C-alpha cells in the first residue's frame, strides 16, 4: 500500500510543481498578445479617423447640396385636350353614369402615360379627368407635379404644354406601340395647359356634386337649370361654337339674398381666370351680362341663405367677336360728336380686350373732352396694380376705378353743353354692394373744347361727389386712346 501511494504523492507533487512553474509563462503570453493587439489598433487609428472624417464630409455635402435641392413643391396644372377618334355623348354629362366612369378611367390612364413619356414623368404626382365636352371628345383635367423648388420657374404652363405637344408630334407617324395611343388619338393642336393651384382644385371638387355641362349652338339662347338647393355649391360648365364667344345673362329674381356667383374664362374655377363675381341680390343692377373671351366659360354658385326659390336666372348665348378699333376725325364744332364703348356695352367686356381709338381734332385751336359713365381714371402708380383695365392716353398710363355699376341698358347720356369741359375721371358715387372682379364696362362721350378757355369740372349728379379731373392738352391735332383689359 505505501508503495502504491508513493507514486501518487510524488506524481501529485510533480503535477503541482509543473503547474506552478507554467502559470507565469501563460500570463506573460496573454500580456504580450494584448500589447500586440493594442499596437495594431493604434496603427489602424488614422485609418478609422480618416473614414469618420470622410463620412462626415459626405453627410454635410448631401445635406447642403443634395437634400436642400430635393425640397419639392406641388405645381398644379389644369387644361383640356381633344381626342380625334372619340365623340361626345349625352351619357358623359352625367357623372353617375357607367359611361362617364368608364371613359374617365381610360382618359386618366392615357393622361398619366402621356406625362410619363416625357421628362415630366419623374415629377408626376396625381391627376384627374373631371369633365368632357362637345365635338371631338374634349377631356378637361388637372394634374399635379411634385417638382424641386429650384426648377419651379422652369416648368411654366407654356413649357409643360410645349413638352407634351412635342411628345405627341413625335409619335404621329410612328408605327411602334405607344401606351397612351392604345385607345386615344390625341390632337396636338387641341392641347391647352393652364396654371392652377391647390385652392382651385379644392373649389372644383366642392362643386362636383352639382356639376352641370351645357353646350349652346350658334343663334341659340339657352336658359340654364337653377341650382340644387340641397347643395352648397354648383358649377355650370358652358361651351359654345369654336369661333364665337359666350355671353352670360344673370337676372336676380329675389329682393334680398346672400348668394354669390363667380364667372370664369375657363372650364373650372381658376382664380387667375376670374372675370367677375357678384353677390347679394342687387337692386341697383338687377340684370348683369358678362362676356367670355372664347367659347368656354364656368359659373360657380355659392349658397347664402336657404331658399326654396331660385334667387337668379341664368341664360347663355354665343355671340361674334366685335372689333374695338376706331379712327375718328371730329368736326369743327363745340358739342358732343359721338359715343365710344367697349364691345357689347353694357355687358362686362371680356378678358384680353384691347381697344384702340385714334381721335383727330380739326386744328390746334381745339382740345378733346371725354365724359365717362360711372368711371374714374387715375394716374397709374408703379406700386398699384391695374386690376380693372389700363389706359394709355398720349403715352400717359392710367388705371380706372369703377364707381357705380350701370343699370342694364341705361338711357343714352345727355350730350355735354357747348361750354362743357374736359373730364378724365367721372363723378364718384358710392360703390355698389356686391360686385367684384377684373372686368367692367365703359362708355364715353366725345366732344371738342376750345383751347383758349380754361377747363373746369363737368357738372356732377346730385348723388355724386366730384372726382379729380385731368386736362387733355394738345400740341398735335390728334390723340390716341388705348384701353387694355388686364
Amino acid at each position: 500500500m505505501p508503495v502504491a501511494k508513493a507514486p501518487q504523492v510524488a506524481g501529485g507533487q510533480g503535477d503541482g510543481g509543473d503547474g506552478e512553474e507554467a502559470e507565469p509563462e501563460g500570463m506573460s503570453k496573454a500580456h504580450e498578445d494584448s500589447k500586440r493587439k493594442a499596437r495594431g489598433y493604434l496603427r489602424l487609428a488614422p485609418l478609422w479617423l480618416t473614414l469618420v472624417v470622410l463620412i462626415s464630409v459626405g453627410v454635410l455635402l448631401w445635406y447642403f447640396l443634395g437634400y436642400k435641392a430635393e425640397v419639392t413643391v406641388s405645381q398644379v396644372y389644369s387644361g383640356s385636350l381633344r381626342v380625334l377618334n372619340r365623340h361626345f355623348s349625352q351619357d358623359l354629362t352625367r357623372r353617375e353614369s357607367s359611361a362617364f366612369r368608364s371613359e374617365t378611367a381610360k382618359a386618366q390612364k392615357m393622361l398619366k402615360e402621356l406625362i410619363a413619356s416625357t421628362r415630366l414623368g419623374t415629377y408626376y404626382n396625381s391627376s384627374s379627368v373631371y369633365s368632357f365636352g362637345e365635338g371631338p371628345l374634349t377631356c378637361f383635367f388637372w394634374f399635379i407635379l411634385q417638382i424641386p423648388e429650384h426648377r419651379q420657374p422652369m416648368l411654366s404652363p407654356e413649357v409643360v404644354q410645349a413638352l407634351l405637344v412635342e411628345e405627341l408630334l413625335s409619335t404621329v407617324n410612328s408605327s411602334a406601340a405607344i401606351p397612351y395611343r392604345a385607345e386615344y388619338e390625341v390632337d396636338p393642336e387641341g392641347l391647352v395647359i393652364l396654371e392652377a393651384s391647390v385652392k382651385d382644385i379644392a373649389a372644383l371638387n366642392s362643386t362636383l356634386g352639382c356639376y352641370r355641362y351645357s353646350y349652346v349652338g350658334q343663334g341659340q339662347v339657352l336658359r340654364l337649370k337653377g341650382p340644387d338647393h340641397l347643395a352648397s355649391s354648383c358649377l355650370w360648365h358652358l361651351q359654345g361654337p369654336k369661333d364665337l364667344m359666350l355671353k352670360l345673362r344673370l337676372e336676380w329674381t329675389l329682393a334680398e339674398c346672400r348668394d354669390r356667383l363667380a364667372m370664369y374664362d375657363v372650364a373650372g374655377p381658376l382664380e387667375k381666370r376670374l372675370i367677375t363675381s357678384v353677390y347679394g341680390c342687387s337692386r341697383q343692377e338687377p340684370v348683369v351680362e358678362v362676356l367670355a373671351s372664347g367659347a368656354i366659360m364656368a359659373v360657380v354658385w355659392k349658397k347664402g341663405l336657404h331658399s326654396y326659390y331660385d334667387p337668379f336666372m341664368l341664360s347663355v348665348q354665343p355671340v361674334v367677336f366685335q372689333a374695338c378699333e376706331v379712327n375718328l376725325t371730329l368736326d369743327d364744332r363745340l358739342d358732343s360728336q359721338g359715343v365710344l364703348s367697349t364691345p357689347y356695352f353694357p355687358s362686362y367686356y371680356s378678358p384680353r380686350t384691347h381697344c384702340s381709338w385714334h381721335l383727330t381734332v380739326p386744328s390746334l385751336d381745339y382740345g378733346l373732352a371725354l365724359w365717362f359713365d360711372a368711371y374714374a381714371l387715375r394716374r397709374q402708380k408703379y406700386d398699384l396694380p391695374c386690376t380693372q383695365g389700363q389706359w394709355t392716353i398720349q403715352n400717359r398710363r392710367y388705371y380706372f376705378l369703377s364707381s357705380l355699376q350701370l343699370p342694364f341698358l341705361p338711357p343714352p347720356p345727355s350730350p355735354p353743353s357747348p361750354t362743357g369741359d374736359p373730364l378724365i375721371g367721372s363723378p364718384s358715387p358710392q360703390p355698389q354692394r356686391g360686385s367684384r372682379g377684373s372686368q367692367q364696362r365703359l362708355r364715353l362721350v366725345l366732344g371738342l373744347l376750345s383751347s383758349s378757355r380754361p377747363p373746369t369740372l363737368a357738372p356732377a349728379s346730385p348723388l355724386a361727389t366730384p372726382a379729380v379731373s385731368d386736362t387733355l392738352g394738345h400740341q398735335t391735332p390728334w390723340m390716341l386712346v388705348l384701353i387694355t383689359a388686364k
Side-chain angles (χ1 to χ4, degrees):
M1 294 295 292
V3 176
K5 290 179 181 178
Q8 291 178 0
V9 173
Q13 289 176 350
D15 292 341
D18 292 340
E20 290 176 0
E21 291 175 1
E23 186 176 355
E25 183 179 354
M27 291 179 63
S28 65
K29 287 182 180 180
H31 185 63
E32 288 179 1
D33 290 342
S34 63
K35 284 184 177 181
R36 215 166 20 250
K37 289 180 181 179
R39 286 194 296 269
Y41 291 146
L42 289 175
R43 283 196 299 268
L44 294 175
L47 179 60
W48 288 109
L49 183 61
T50 303
L51 289 175
V52 171
V53 170
L54 289 176
I55 292 173
S56 302
V57 170
V59 170
L60 292 174
L61 288 175
W62 170 79
Y63 177 78
F64 287 106
L65 299 180
Y67 176 74
K68 285 194 173 182
E70 289 303 320
V71 173
T72 60
V73 294
S74 296
Q75 186 68 42
V76 186
Y77 303 90
S78 178
S80 62
L81 56 84
R82 287 200 304 264
V83 180
L84 299 178
N85 61 339
R86 287 281 199 284
H87 292 281
F88 181 80
S89 67
Q90 287 300 316
D91 289 339
L92 297 178
T93 63
R94 300 191 301 273
R95 297 182 57 85
E96 67 278 4
S97 68
S98 59
F100 180 88
R101 291 194 297 268
S102 174
E103 202 68 42
T104 298
K106 295 177 184 177
Q108 192 163 319
K109 180 174 180 290
M110 176 271 298
L111 177 63
K112 181 177 180 180
E113 291 171 345
L114 173 60
I115 297 173
S117 300
T118 68
R119 60 185 178 90
L120 302 173
T122 56
Y123 307 132
Y124 177 83
N125 180 278
S126 60
S127 62
S128 176
V129 176
Y130 62 87
S131 182
F132 299 100
E134 282 276 0
L137 184 64
T138 303
C139 305
F140 296 90
F141 59 84
W142 57 261
F143 63 89
I144 299 177
L145 300 181
Q146 203 72 22
I147 60 179
E149 190 174 16
H150 72 283
R151 293 187 61 85
Q152 187 175 14
M154 307 175 194
L155 291 176
S156 64
E158 294 78 14
V159 172
V160 171
Q161 180 172 333
L163 290 172
L164 296 176
V165 169
E166 181 183 2
E167 169 62 26
L168 291 172
L169 291 174
S170 67
T171 59
V172 168
N173 298 319
S174 175
S175 58
I178 309 297
Y180 61 83
R181 291 177 63 90
E183 294 192 54
Y184 289 106
E185 184 182 347
V186 182
D187 181 12
E189 296 181 358
L191 179 65
V192 177
I193 301 294
L194 303 171
E195 183 180 359
S197 67
V198 175
K199 181 181 177 182
D200 296 336
I201 302 305
L204 173 64
N205 291 335
S206 69
T207 65
L208 295 182
C210 181
Y211 192 96
R212 278 91 181 270
Y213 172 82
S214 297
Y215 181 87
V216 54
Q218 186 170 0
Q220 180 184 6
V221 179
L222 178 64
R223 181 172 174 177
L224 304 177
K225 183 181 178 181
D228 182 356
H229 298 289
L230 298 179
S232 61
S233 180
C234 288
L235 187 148
W236 289 266
H237 177 180
L238 309 175
Q239 187 176 356
K242 180 180 179 182
D243 297 326
L244 301 180
M245 56 198 302
L246 294 181
K247 183 168 73 169
L248 179 79
R249 178 186 172 95
L250 162 66
E251 183 176 352
W252 297 107
T253 57
L254 298 181
E256 184 67 28
C257 67
R258 296 184 183 179
D259 299 71
R260 179 179 184 267
L261 283 167
M263 297 80 169
Y264 299 89
D265 199 38
V266 290
L270 304 188
E271 190 65 26
K272 291 187 176 181
R273 296 304 182 103
L274 175 69
I275 302 175
T276 192
S277 65
V278 290
Y279 55 91
C281 298
S282 173
R283 297 178 182 177
Q284 290 180 319
E285 199 174 22
V287 177
V288 178
E289 287 191 347
V290 179
L291 284 171
S293 63
I296 293 178
M297 182 187 244
V299 182
V300 174
W301 166 74
K302 295 287 186 180
K303 182 167 68 175
L305 299 176
H306 181 75
S307 173
Y308 290 103
Y309 302 97
D310 291 342
F312 56 85
M313 291 189 300
L314 293 175
S315 60
V316 62
Q317 68 178 116
V319 295
V320 298
F321 290 88
Q322 282 188 354
C324 194
E325 294 184 3
V326 173
N327 290 307
L328 182 63
T329 300
L330 282 76
D331 298 330
D332 189 4
R333 52 189 173 87
L334 297 177
D335 61 359
S336 172
Q337 298 193 31
V339 176
L340 295 176
S341 62
T342 50
Y344 290 100
F345 179 88
S347 296
Y348 286 69
Y349 56 75
S350 67
R352 298 193 295 276
T353 295
H354 182 86
C355 294
S356 177
W357 299 325
H358 192 165
L359 311 174
T360 304
V361 297
S363 71
L364 291 175
D365 296 332
Y366 295 95
L368 186 66
L370 304 178
W371 284 265
F372 298 91
D373 286 331
Y375 195 93
L377 283 184
R378 297 289 184 268
R379 287 300 300 271
Q380 183 178 358
K381 298 179 181 179
Y382 292 103
D383 58 344
L384 187 63
C386 259
T387 59
Q388 295 187 349
Q390 175 181 281
W391 283 73
T392 303
I393 302 178
Q394 295 295 81
N395 294 324
R396 297 172 68 181
R397 292 185 178 181
Y398 299 85
Y399 68 95
F400 90 76
L401 297 174
S402 177
S403 54
L404 177 67
Q405 301 298 324
L406 299 173
F408 186 67
L409 294 178
S414 57
S417 64
T419 58
D421 302 300
L423 179 65
I424 298 185
S426 67
S428 302
Q430 294 297 320
Q432 173 206 342
R433 166 181 174 264
S435 183
R436 164 183 173 270
S438 59
Q439 313 308 328
Q440 297 291 337
R441 53 271 183 96
L442 164 71
R443 179 178 59 189
L444 58 87
V445 182
L446 303 176
L448 281 182
L449 174 72
S450 173
S451 61
S452 61
R453 184 174 66 256
T456 58
L457 279 175
S461 65
L463 299 177
T465 56
V468 178
S469 67
D470 196 355
T471 304
L472 294 180
H474 283 283
Q475 299 299 324
T476 58
W478 59 269
M479 182 173 114
L480 179 62
V481 182
L482 298 174
I483 176 174
T484 302
K486 292 294 184 180

